[in-house]
């Protein structure tokens, strides 16, 4: 798509152009989570300016338009801006969503929510902390950043939720019917964790325990993979893992823990 100049304060975009792979409905699982999560929805509803940025939407703006449509079910007056560091990928404004060039500096915007999916995946692990803090420093008061990755079809997804104080939680979400075991998510962990899935690191301990719980919950398999996962989560919790409990029935299998449960050894 043709590039165009920015209507927002001009700053040099911070970051690097990477592959623009995306897909229709690829980010549905994280969208579903966003519009149901209590922290996200409370902060979005309370924001004086309900501005949301989709950072690094790729070669087509599909996922940004989908995010906007889903967030409007939480707050009808949400305004969504897609930012891309590649000027050739800046899309035309459409369906009430604006698109412009920008990087981790957020083009001078101060959003209450930033979504960056499959962006840091192509950066070195050492770039994560600075990218996170650049975005976090640009958030509106009580703003949030959701930073994650997924596979091409969005069946296996993982993300970190951060606010101005740092990372709050890690969430893994997957298609109950095409994923064999929780550790299948390992290759889609966010950049901050993907290289830490080795014995001794908390993320490895948790994924190993999740696989064991999944195996022990096999007696629930006849009732389907969602019921089996709910049983596995209870076993994990019984074993002391602080896995978040969801009262409502979930379409996806979800494993969400406080960041402190999986933070890499030696991280602040
Ligand atoms: C793999 S695509 C992801 C597309 C979409 N978010 C998805 O998950 O389907 C990554 C995009 O992020 C862009 N990108 C990389 N670093 C960026 C940055 N610092 N700021 C804005 N966009 C960035 C790349 O140019 C690329 O188009």
């Amino acid at each position: 798509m043709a590039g165009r100049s920015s209507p927002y304060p001009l700053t040099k975009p911070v970051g690097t152009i990477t592959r623009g792979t995306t897909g229709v409905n690829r980010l549905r699982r994280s969208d579903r989570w966003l519009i149901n999560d209590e922290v996200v929805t409370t902060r979005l509803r309370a924001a004086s300016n309900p501005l949301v940025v989709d950072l690094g939407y790729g070669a087509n703006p599909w996922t940004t338009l989908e995010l906007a449509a889903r967030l409007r079910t939480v707050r009808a007056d949400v305004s969504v801006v897609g930012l891309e560091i590649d000027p050739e990928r800046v899309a035309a404004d459409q369906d009430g969503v604006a698109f412009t060039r920008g990087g981790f500096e957020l083009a001078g915007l101060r959003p209450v929510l930033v979504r960056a999916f499959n962006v840091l995946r192509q950066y070195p692990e050492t770039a994560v902390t600075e990218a996170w803090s650049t975005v976090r420093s640009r958030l509106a008061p009580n703003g949030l950043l959701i930073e994650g990755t997924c596979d091409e079809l969005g069946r296996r997804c993982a993300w970190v939720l951060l606010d101005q104080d740092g990372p709050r939680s890690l969430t893994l979400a997957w298609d109950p019917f095409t994923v064999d075991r929780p550790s299948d998510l390992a290759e889609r962990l966010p950049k901050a964790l993907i290289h830490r899935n080795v014995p001794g690191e908390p993320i490895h301990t948790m994924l190993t325990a999740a696989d064991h719980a999944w195996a022990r919950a096999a007696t629930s398999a006849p009732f389907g993979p969602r019921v089996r996962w709910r049983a596995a989560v209870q076993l994990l919790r019984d074993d002391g893992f602080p896995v978040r409990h969801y009262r409502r029935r979930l379409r996806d299998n979800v494993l969400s823990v406080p960041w402190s449960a999986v933070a890499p050894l030696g991280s602040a």
Side-chain angles (χ1 to χ4, degrees), residues 120-121 123 125 149 185-198 203 264:
L120 284 177
R121 187 170 171 75
Y123 283 69
E125 186 187 6
T149 62
L185 275 285
E187 65 188 63
R188 296 294 159 172
L189 286 171
K191 186 55 102 175
L193 293 175
I194 193 164
H195 304 290
R196 304 305 184 110
N197 188 29
V198 292
I203 183 65

Tab-separated table of all heavy atoms in Angstrom, residues 120-121 123 125 149 185-198 203 264:
chain	number	residue	atom	x	y	z
A	120	LEU	N	8.350	-7.840	18.121
A	120	LEU	CA	9.658	-8.079	18.750
A	120	LEU	C	10.231	-9.455	18.415
A	120	LEU	O	11.410	-9.702	18.635
A	120	LEU	CB	9.543	-7.925	20.270
A	120	LEU	CG	9.463	-6.480	20.772
A	120	LEU	CD1	9.291	-6.452	22.276
A	120	LEU	CD2	10.704	-5.704	20.371
A	121	ARG	N	9.396	-10.302	17.897
A	121	ARG	CA	9.847	-11.650	17.541
A	121	ARG	C	11.092	-11.622	16.646
A	121	ARG	O	11.958	-12.476	16.737
A	121	ARG	CB	8.698	-12.356	16.811
A	121	ARG	CG	8.953	-13.799	16.524
A	121	ARG	CD	7.694	-14.475	16.042
A	121	ARG	NE	8.001	-15.820	15.572
A	121	ARG	CZ	8.253	-16.839	16.360
A	121	ARG	NH1	8.229	-16.686	17.658
A	121	ARG	NH2	8.532	-18.032	15.852
A	123	TYR	N	13.341	-9.234	16.594
A	123	TYR	CA	14.413	-8.446	17.206
A	123	TYR	C	15.261	-9.366	18.088
A	123	TYR	O	14.805	-10.429	18.506
A	123	TYR	CB	13.818	-7.339	18.097
A	123	TYR	CG	13.267	-6.142	17.359
A	123	TYR	CD1	12.116	-6.235	16.578
A	123	TYR	CD2	13.878	-4.903	17.457
A	123	TYR	CE1	11.604	-5.126	15.919
A	123	TYR	CE2	13.366	-3.787	16.796
A	123	TYR	CZ	12.229	-3.912	16.036
A	123	TYR	OH	11.710	-2.820	15.388
A	125	GLU	N	16.916	-10.647	21.598
A	125	GLU	CA	16.390	-10.656	22.971
A	125	GLU	C	16.832	-9.403	23.742
A	125	GLU	O	16.075	-8.851	24.546
A	125	GLU	CB	16.889	-11.925	23.693
A	125	GLU	CG	16.308	-12.135	25.070
A	125	GLU	CD	16.959	-13.301	25.811
A	125	GLU	OE1	17.952	-13.881	25.304
A	125	GLU	OE2	16.477	-13.633	26.910
A	149	THR	N	3.235	-12.907	20.628
A	149	THR	CA	3.482	-13.596	19.355
A	149	THR	C	2.426	-14.687	19.168
A	149	THR	O	1.721	-15.074	20.107
A	149	THR	CB	4.869	-14.273	19.317
A	149	THR	OG1	4.911	-15.250	20.340
A	149	THR	CG2	5.993	-13.289	19.500
A	185	LEU	N	3.335	-24.519	23.079
A	185	LEU	CA	3.361	-23.051	22.983
A	185	LEU	C	4.787	-22.507	23.064
A	185	LEU	O	5.015	-21.327	22.774
A	185	LEU	CB	2.519	-22.434	24.111
A	185	LEU	CG	1.001	-22.266	23.926
A	185	LEU	CD1	0.699	-21.104	23.002
A	185	LEU	CD2	0.327	-23.522	23.424
A	186	ALA	N	5.734	-23.361	23.454
A	186	ALA	CA	7.099	-22.881	23.739
A	186	ALA	C	7.700	-22.113	22.564
A	186	ALA	O	8.341	-21.085	22.748
A	186	ALA	CB	7.991	-24.058	24.110
A	187	GLU	N	7.450	-22.596	21.351
A	187	GLU	CA	8.077	-21.935	20.195
A	187	GLU	C	7.408	-20.616	19.834
A	187	GLU	O	7.876	-19.902	18.962
A	187	GLU	CB	8.100	-22.868	18.986
A	187	GLU	CG	6.736	-23.216	18.462
A	187	GLU	CD	6.800	-24.305	17.385
A	187	GLU	OE1	7.230	-25.435	17.704
A	187	GLU	OE2	6.431	-24.012	16.247
A	188	ARG	N	6.320	-20.279	20.519
A	188	ARG	CA	5.651	-18.994	20.273
A	188	ARG	C	5.709	-18.086	21.491
A	188	ARG	O	4.931	-17.137	21.591
A	188	ARG	CB	4.194	-19.236	19.864
A	188	ARG	CG	4.077	-19.983	18.568
A	188	ARG	CD	4.592	-19.158	17.396
A	188	ARG	NE	4.940	-19.999	16.269
A	188	ARG	CZ	5.272	-19.540	15.056
A	188	ARG	NH1	5.297	-18.241	14.826
A	188	ARG	NH2	5.603	-20.362	14.099
A	189	LEU	N	6.582	-18.382	22.424
A	189	LEU	CA	6.713	-17.507	23.591
A	189	LEU	C	7.190	-16.131	23.155
A	189	LEU	O	7.926	-16.002	22.168
A	189	LEU	CB	7.723	-18.105	24.577
A	189	LEU	CG	7.243	-19.316	25.388
A	189	LEU	CD1	8.410	-19.935	26.142
A	189	LEU	CD2	6.114	-18.937	26.338
A	190	PRO	N	6.809	-15.085	23.891
A	190	PRO	CA	7.331	-13.751	23.586
A	190	PRO	C	8.858	-13.736	23.662
A	190	PRO	O	9.463	-14.561	24.356
A	190	PRO	CB	6.715	-12.876	24.684
A	190	PRO	CG	5.526	-13.632	25.166
A	190	PRO	CD	5.870	-15.080	25.014
A	191	LYS	N	9.454	-12.795	22.953
A	191	LYS	CA	10.909	-12.744	22.850
A	191	LYS	C	11.591	-12.744	24.218
A	191	LYS	O	12.663	-13.328	24.397
A	191	LYS	CB	11.303	-11.499	22.041
A	191	LYS	CG	12.761	-11.387	21.743
A	191	LYS	CD	13.287	-12.607	21.049
A	191	LYS	CE	13.487	-12.454	19.587
A	191	LYS	NZ	14.098	-13.566	18.901
A	192	ALA	N	10.962	-12.126	25.205
A	192	ALA	CA	11.568	-12.049	26.548
A	192	ALA	C	11.720	-13.426	27.183
A	192	ALA	O	12.515	-13.601	28.117
A	192	ALA	CB	10.711	-11.163	27.457
A	193	LEU	N	10.967	-14.428	26.695
A	193	LEU	CA	10.975	-15.747	27.336
A	193	LEU	C	11.430	-16.878	26.428
A	193	LEU	O	11.805	-17.943	26.913
A	193	LEU	CB	9.566	-16.075	27.871
A	193	LEU	CG	9.069	-15.217	29.030
A	193	LEU	CD1	7.622	-15.565	29.359
A	193	LEU	CD2	9.950	-15.398	30.265
A	194	ILE	N	11.372	-16.670	25.124
A	194	ILE	CA	11.553	-17.820	24.221
A	194	ILE	C	12.932	-18.462	24.369
A	194	ILE	O	13.071	-19.678	24.233
A	194	ILE	CB	11.244	-17.430	22.752
A	194	ILE	CG1	11.116	-18.693	21.899
A	194	ILE	CG2	12.262	-16.457	22.193
A	194	ILE	CD1	10.452	-18.475	20.554
A	195	HIS	N	13.930	-17.652	24.694
A	195	HIS	CA	15.272	-18.230	24.855
A	195	HIS	C	15.490	-18.751	26.273
A	195	HIS	O	16.560	-19.259	26.591
A	195	HIS	CB	16.331	-17.181	24.512
A	195	HIS	CG	16.155	-16.611	23.126
A	195	HIS	ND1	16.387	-17.348	21.982
A	195	HIS	CD2	15.733	-15.388	22.710
A	195	HIS	CE1	16.115	-16.603	20.918
A	195	HIS	NE2	15.720	-15.411	21.322
A	196	ARG	N	14.484	-18.572	27.137
A	196	ARG	CA	14.629	-18.969	28.549
A	196	ARG	C	13.923	-20.286	28.848
A	196	ARG	O	13.828	-20.672	30.018
A	196	ARG	CB	14.061	-17.869	29.453
A	196	ARG	CG	14.676	-16.516	29.225
A	196	ARG	CD	16.204	-16.583	29.354
A	196	ARG	NE	16.791	-15.265	29.238
A	196	ARG	CZ	17.345	-14.625	30.264
A	196	ARG	NH1	17.424	-15.185	31.450
A	196	ARG	NH2	17.872	-13.438	30.075
A	197	ASN	N	13.435	-20.953	27.833
A	197	ASN	CA	12.737	-22.215	28.090
A	197	ASN	C	13.750	-23.357	28.223
A	197	ASN	O	13.780	-24.288	27.419
A	197	ASN	CB	11.729	-22.487	26.979
A	197	ASN	CG	10.848	-23.680	27.311
A	197	ASN	OD1	10.585	-23.966	28.486
A	197	ASN	ND2	10.413	-24.393	26.273
A	198	VAL	N	14.574	-23.254	29.253
A	198	VAL	CA	15.618	-24.244	29.523
A	198	VAL	C	15.539	-24.621	30.997
A	198	VAL	O	15.081	-23.818	31.823
A	198	VAL	CB	17.029	-23.681	29.190
A	198	VAL	CG1	17.184	-23.473	27.696
A	198	VAL	CG2	17.300	-22.375	29.944
A	203	ILE	N	10.031	-20.303	33.409
A	203	ILE	CA	9.085	-20.609	32.327
A	203	ILE	C	9.169	-22.093	31.954
A	203	ILE	O	8.141	-22.723	31.658
A	203	ILE	CB	9.317	-19.700	31.075
A	203	ILE	CG1	8.275	-19.977	30.004
A	203	ILE	CG2	10.712	-19.848	30.497
A	203	ILE	CD1	6.858	-19.647	30.367
A	264	PRO	N	12.331	-14.235	33.861
A	264	PRO	CA	13.634	-14.900	33.709
A	264	PRO	C	14.522	-14.679	34.929
A	264	PRO	O	14.472	-13.615	35.549
A	264	PRO	CB	14.238	-14.208	32.481
A	264	PRO	CG	13.087	-13.649	31.731
A	264	PRO	CD	12.052	-13.312	32.751
